[in-house]
């Protein structure tokens, strides 16, 4: 029976692949947890405000498709601030769209957008990579245990 070369490679190097997945997963998990802790510390100390889309900024091209970002305007006290969002999309939000934001009372130009999901996506990817690494390493241990041969005892009756 002919087997695929790539499958044999993966089968032979399951421990190495498991370690690679585990290390990448732990790096992604660490990065996402640091990002989430930073976000939630800001979330707890920043003040609520509403921002409104007043303009767009187009300055990034991805494979010939121009991507844009929203320019958000918000008011703190008696002063109005404008801030360019930190994400680029194919279709920015329509002008006049209201966003929930939080701003730093000591530095009102420092804001966070509520409802961003990229932090949770990164956490999920880290969990998946770490889980795959652990599964591959555990399967490798089970295969080693199964490879230990036990002596077989035969009786005289079986030999005849």
């Amino acid at each position: 029976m002919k087997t695929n070369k790539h499958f044999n490679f993966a089968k032979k190097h399951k421990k190495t692949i498991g370690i690679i997945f585990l290390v990448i997963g732990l790096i992604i998990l660490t990065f996402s947890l640091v990002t989430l802790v930073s976000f939630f510390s800001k979330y707890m100390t920043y003040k609520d405000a509403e921002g409104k889309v007043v303009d767009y900024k187009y300055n990034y091209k991805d494979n010939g498709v121009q991507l844009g970002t929203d320019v958000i305007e918000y008011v703190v006290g008696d002063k109005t601030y404008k801030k360019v969002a930190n994400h680029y999309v194919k279709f920015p939000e329509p002008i006049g769209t209201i966003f929930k934001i939080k701003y730093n009372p000591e530095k009102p130009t420092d804001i966070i957008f509520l409802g961003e999901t990229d932090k949770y996506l990164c956490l999920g990817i880290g969990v998946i990579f770490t889980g795959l690494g652990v599964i591959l390493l555990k399967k490798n241990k089970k295969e080693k245990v199964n490879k230990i041969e036990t002596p077989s005892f035969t009786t005289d009756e079986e030999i005849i």
Side-chain angles (χ1 to χ4, degrees), residues 45-115:
T45 57
Y46 284 19
K47 303 280 184 193
D48 289 324
E50 283 190 346
K52 185 167 123 179
V53 177
V54 293
D55 199 7
Y56 307 120
K57 184 176 181 182
Y58 292 98
N59 64 354
Y60 183 75
K61 283 194 175 190
D62 184 31
N63 293 331
V65 176
Q66 190 162 8
L67 301 177
T69 189
D70 305 310
V71 177
I72 309 295
E73 184 177 85
Y74 58 100
V75 178
V76 175
D78 60 348
K79 193 167 182 185
T80 302
Y81 296 92
K82 283 186 181 180
K83 179 83 174 181
V84 177
N86 56 359
H87 59 275
Y88 287 90
V89 292
K90 216 183 245 188
F91 304 107
E93 295 293 329
I95 289 180
T97 302
I98 304 293
F99 278 104
K100 297 267 185 197
I101 62 168
K102 285 190 170 249
Y103 67 92
N104 184 349
E106 295 171 10
K107 184 181 175 190
T109 56
D110 183 18
I111 65 172
I112 58 173
F113 293 91
L114 303 179

Side-chain angles (χ1 to χ4, degrees), residues 21-157:
F21 269 89
L22 186 65
V23 169
I24 290 172
L26 290 174
I27 290 169
I28 294 171
L29 272 177
T30 303
F31 171 75
S32 65
L33 289 175
V34 167
T35 303
L36 281 171
V37 166
S38 171
F39 176 79
F40 283 115
S41 69
K42 289 178 180 181
Y43 182 83
M44 299 303 280
T45 57
Y46 284 19
K47 303 280 184 193
D48 289 324
E50 283 190 346
K52 185 167 123 179
V53 177
V54 293
D55 199 7
Y56 307 120
K57 184 176 181 182
Y58 292 98
N59 64 354
Y60 183 75
K61 283 194 175 190
D62 184 31
N63 293 331
V65 176
Q66 190 162 8
L67 301 177
T69 189
D70 305 310
V71 177
I72 309 295
E73 184 177 85
Y74 58 100
V75 178
V76 175
D78 60 348
K79 193 167 182 185
T80 302
Y81 296 92
K82 283 186 181 180
K83 179 83 174 181
V84 177
N86 56 359
H87 59 275
Y88 287 90
V89 292
K90 216 183 245 188
F91 304 107
E93 295 293 329
I95 289 180
T97 302
I98 304 293
F99 278 104
K100 297 267 185 197
I101 62 168
K102 285 190 170 249
Y103 67 92
N104 184 349
E106 295 171 10
K107 184 181 175 190
T109 56
D110 183 18
I111 65 172
I112 58 173
F113 293 91
L114 303 179
E116 291 179 345
T117 58
D118 58 339
K119 294 164 192 61
Y120 303 108
L121 179 65
C122 194
L123 180 69
I125 291 170
V127 167
I128 289 170
F129 268 75
T130 304
L132 284 172
V134 168
I135 288 169
L136 287 172
L137 289 174
K138 282 195 174 205
K139 281 189 176 181
N140 194 34
K141 280 186 179 180
K142 284 182 183 177
E143 286 175 4
K144 282 185 179 179
V145 170
N146 291 340
K147 284 183 181 178
I148 298 174
E149 294 183 18
T150 56
S152 63
F153 297 99
T154 58
T155 62
D156 290 338
E157 294 171 1

